[in-house]
Amino acid sequence: MSHKREFKYAVRAAVLIVGASVLSGCMLASPHDATPLPNRTLDVPTTDKQSANQTGIVPDERVSWIKNPLITQIRFHAGKVGADYIEIRYYLAYINPSDKDVKWTAKPTPDGPKMRLYSEGKQILPAPRIESGIEANKAAPRDEEIKANASVVKARDKWATDGLAEFVIMNSQFLTGTHIYEVVYWHSQLDWIDVREVLDRTDSQGKGRMMYPITDNAPSNRLYFKVYKPTDDEARQGRRIEFLGEVDARTQVPALPYARPGDFAPKTGYWSATGKSIDRLGGYHEVFVREGDSMPNLPGDKGVDPFSFQWKYVGEHSQASVQ
């Protein structure tokens, strides 16, 4: 497919350019644009963030989530330590298990990259925010550019990169000490043209809701890895930043009682879905998973924000009857 040619460079550019983009006429400003970043991490855990705010496109009251049929699969290859950065190299694939062709886009949102970085439940920018004091509106990409970044995965087919994709993180963004980091790939079927057309159509009939498809699919839309960063005193003693390699969710993370879709279940038993976006769906969702198996996606056709979707271990016996 046509997207293979520039994907590696697009990912590198996407993660190094973190700022506000405004799609004129139908977009609201992202909450991140209006709030200065006090330190490396955001103040709010991912489970507490309302899912619509993650788009930077559509306000909460306008959004309903539906399932994206594509499964996004990222597989770790290696980590490269540069002079002032660490580069994560990985394989990326989109799997379409459905009976219909599905579009995917390399222009999923006007604000923020597809790849997002977390540690201990808090988001970390892969590069420092550039504060110029003057925030000029950035023009949305041209329609022809958006269309050039759209492809279709045929029914029962799979798309994969020819080679390795890259995710670059500046050393200044890592937390002091040894920490586990999580890279999440956030994938939507909608590009900016789709969003504009949907909002224009609903606006003509009053302020309606739009169905926003977002991935929360297993087997994997995240990578875990570990990095050591010396303190200032340790750095003066000659200690350097170290990339400690991939973390295997099967044996090392996450600690009970929580796991994410695509993670490996650390314990056999019943697991219930939890998180703010799960609560918004209503009802009780429970699955039985054996240790070492991949944690599943939610059943049905309702999608949720993958940043807040977690499975919580509830024990060897089902809790559904007491809900």
Side-chain angles (χ1 to χ4, degrees):
M1 301 184 69
S2 62
H3 268 67
K4 298 177 183 178
R5 59 187 183 276
E6 297 291 344
F7 183 85
K8 177 169 67 175
Y9 306 102
V11 170
R12 177 188 285 268
V15 299
L16 290 179
I17 301 173
V18 180
S21 299
V22 177
L23 188 56
S24 60
C26 60
M27 304 307 168
L28 295 187
S30 165
H32 301 315
D33 302 336
T35 305
L37 192 69
N39 49 44
R40 292 182 183 86
T41 61
L42 299 183
D43 296 320
V44 184
T46 56
T47 51
D48 289 337
K49 293 181 72 67
Q50 291 298 312
S51 55
N53 281 339
Q54 295 284 352
T55 67
I57 299 177
V58 187
D60 289 328
E61 67 273 10
R62 301 289 302 277
V63 174
S64 296
W65 301 102
I66 59 173
K67 189 88 71 178
N68 184 342
L70 290 182
I71 294 173
T72 304
Q73 187 178 57
I74 52 177
R75 294 182 294 114
F76 178 83
H77 173 74
K80 173 185 176 184
V81 179
D84 61 350
Y85 68 91
I86 286 179
E87 179 182 282
I88 309 300
R89 297 180 176 180
Y90 60 95
Y91 299 97
L92 174 68
Y94 301 140
I95 303 167
N96 182 6
S98 71
D99 295 323
K100 297 181 180 179
D101 296 351
V102 177
K103 185 186 80 173
W104 69 270
T105 176
K107 297 285 184 181
T109 67
D111 179 30
K114 297 179 290 295
M115 305 293 291
R116 309 197 184 191
L117 181 68
Y118 291 84
S119 182
E120 300 174 355
K122 295 182 179 180
Q123 186 176 5
I124 298 174
L125 298 178
R129 188 187 299 275
I130 299 174
E131 300 288 356
S132 64
I134 300 175
E135 295 296 330
N137 288 346
K138 297 183 180 180
R142 299 183 305 273
D143 283 4
E144 56 267 28
E145 180 184 353
I146 296 172
K147 293 175 181 177
N149 279 273
S151 292
V152 172
V153 182
K154 298 293 185 181
R156 304 291 178 180
D157 202 359
K158 175 181 179 179
W159 176 92
T161 51
D162 281 333
L164 295 171
E166 301 170 349
F167 183 75
V168 179
I169 307 159
M170 305 308 293
N171 285 353
S172 62
Q173 301 304 95
F174 289 110
L175 305 175
T176 300
T178 301
H179 293 274
I180 292 175
Y181 295 89
E182 174 188 17
V183 174
V184 178
Y185 193 92
W186 196 46
H187 178 242
S188 168
Q189 292 169 251
L190 295 187
D191 58 33
W192 299 11
I193 296 175
D194 296 326
V195 172
R196 186 178 64 213
E197 290 177 350
V198 169
L199 290 181
D200 286 346
R201 184 166 62 251
T202 57
D203 284 351
S204 67
Q205 303 166 2
K207 294 291 185 181
R209 296 176 69 86
M210 67 176 295
M211 303 300 287
Y212 198 94
I214 187 171
T215 183
D216 53 2
N217 289 312
S220 176
N221 69 341
R222 66 196 70 250
L223 291 176
Y224 293 106
F225 59 92
K226 189 180 293 186
V227 172
Y228 160 76
K229 180 181 179 180
T231 63
D232 291 342
D233 287 342
E234 290 173 333
R236 283 190 287 269
Q237 297 169 14
R239 298 290 300 274
R240 297 178 180 274
I241 196 164
E242 299 175 35
F243 179 76
L244 302 177
E246 183 184 19
V247 175
D248 186 356
R250 196 188 311 259
T251 58
Q252 299 183 57
V253 295
L256 285 171
Y258 294 104
R260 298 284 193 91
D263 287 340
F264 296 103
K267 194 169 185 179
T268 296
Y270 290 90
W271 297 74
S272 67
T274 185
K276 286 288 185 181
S277 56
I278 300 294
D279 295 341
R280 296 175 74 179
L281 289 181
Y284 182 78
H285 306 275
E286 186 182 274
V287 295
F288 178 83
V289 186
R290 296 190 179 280
E291 181 179 356
D293 287 350
S294 179
M295 297 300 297
N297 189 10
L298 280 177
D301 59 358
K302 293 294 185 181
V304 296
D305 176 5
F307 294 94
S308 70
F309 180 7
Q310 294 180 319
W311 290 106
K312 179 181 179 180
Y313 184 73
V314 294
E316 298 180 358
H317 305 285
S318 173
Q319 301 295 308
S321 61
V322 301
Q323 297 300 314

